[in-house]
Amino acid sequence: WRLHPLLGRGDLLVADRGLCSYVHLALLQFRGVQGLFRLHQKQIVDFRPHRKSHQKGQTGRPRSRFVQRLGYHDQLVRWPKPTQRPGWMRPEQWATIPAELLVRELRYTIQARGQRTRVVTIVTTLLDPRRYPKEEVATLYGVRWTVETHFAQLKTTMQMRKVKSQTPEGVQKEIAVYCLVYNLIHMVMLAAARRQRVAPGRIS
């Protein structure tokens, strides 16, 4: 949430399940920022239309309230505000959090040759299925996975895991040079991919 001021109205934040929470989505909405997160593993999702919501004392049912079915494993639901305030949030901030959030839940399957099938469940504030088709939302979240590959290349291949400078200015310069070299290398990779008519990700 400390990075929220860097985001502007109309931006879209794509992140993994570690950042998926009711409060985080609510704070983004205050700023007019859209969110797209992988659903946290503790969150229960049920795509059956008009299914019953969670009742006090019950377990194994989603806390969300069904609103509308948009397609196969694609629905609008209302998330209720959590009962407990996060420790880092001031009481006056907590009071401004809405009682419910309208969000979209969707699920898709990744089938890759030689790998186990992976089921991914997403929650997003991109509610319009015509403007934001399920397939395109899934593709967009898939792009987030490539970030891990880029981090690994920087840290392992280019040995940026530990910088050597001892001053803040030196660290900034060192990281800037790493990024410059990294981008120059990828420009060469892009040219090679175009010449061979393959996706840039195929070039090592």
Side-chain angles (χ1 to χ4, degrees):
W1 60 271
R2 291 190 180 99
L3 299 178
H4 288 183
L6 300 177
L7 301 169
R9 181 170 293 275
D11 284 349
L12 170 64
L13 178 62
V14 182
D16 63 17
R17 59 176 48 149
L19 298 179
C20 180
S21 72
Y22 183 99
V23 172
H24 195 190
L25 283 168
L27 292 175
L28 290 173
Q29 279 198 350
F30 279 140
R31 293 185 173 273
V33 177
Q34 304 284 1
L36 196 165
F37 305 129
R38 186 172 185 183
L39 203 69
H40 196 275
Q41 61 268 25
K42 292 184 178 180
Q43 188 84 18
I44 299 175
V45 177
D46 190 339
F47 287 98
R48 292 177 297 175
H50 309 293
R51 39 78 174 165
K52 293 182 179 180
S53 300
H54 171 85
Q55 301 294 325
K56 189 174 182 179
Q58 290 181 331
T59 59
R61 285 185 178 176
R63 297 188 69 246
S64 62
R65 181 163 55 86
F66 175 82
V67 175
Q68 182 183 355
R69 185 177 188 271
L70 303 178
Y72 180 69
H73 283 176
D74 191 358
Q75 64 185 6
L76 294 181
V77 297
R78 290 193 180 276
W79 279 10
K81 182 178 180 178
T83 56
Q84 292 187 334
R85 171 176 59 89
W88 53 267
M89 179 173 270
R90 298 190 305 272
E92 55 269 25
Q93 279 184 300
W94 178 246
T96 66
I97 298 296
E100 285 187 327
L101 278 181
L102 179 64
V103 296
R104 181 181 177 189
E105 297 174 339
L106 58 92
R107 178 175 290 162
Y108 62 94
T109 302
I110 300 175
Q111 294 179 329
R113 183 178 297 179
Q115 299 180 9
R116 63 182 177 86
T117 300
R118 186 164 54 201
V119 177
V120 180
T121 306
I122 299 293
V123 62
T124 181
T125 53
L126 302 174
L127 306 180
D128 188 343
R130 293 185 179 180
R131 191 173 183 183
Y132 309 108
K134 176 184 175 180
E135 294 75 17
E136 293 187 15
V137 173
T139 299
L140 176 61
Y141 186 76
V143 173
R144 196 214 69 83
W145 289 102
T146 65
V147 173
E148 306 297 338
T149 302
H150 293 294
F151 281 150
Q153 290 173 352
L154 279 165
K155 291 190 294 185
T156 305
T157 307
M158 296 185 64
Q159 299 180 3
M160 200 187 82
R161 185 177 297 274
K162 185 177 181 180
V163 294
K164 302 176 179 63
S165 300
Q166 301 296 315
T167 65
E169 295 79 9
V171 170
Q172 290 178 347
K173 290 179 181 178
E174 196 171 341
I175 292 176
V177 171
Y178 271 116
C179 292
L180 176 62
V181 173
Y182 183 77
N183 284 329
L184 289 172
I185 292 171
H186 275 261
M187 289 295 291
V188 176
M189 292 167 61
L190 179 60
R194 286 175 174 170
R195 187 167 59 250
Q196 298 177 59
R197 297 181 181 179
V198 298
R202 294 283 305 277
I203 306 297
S204 67

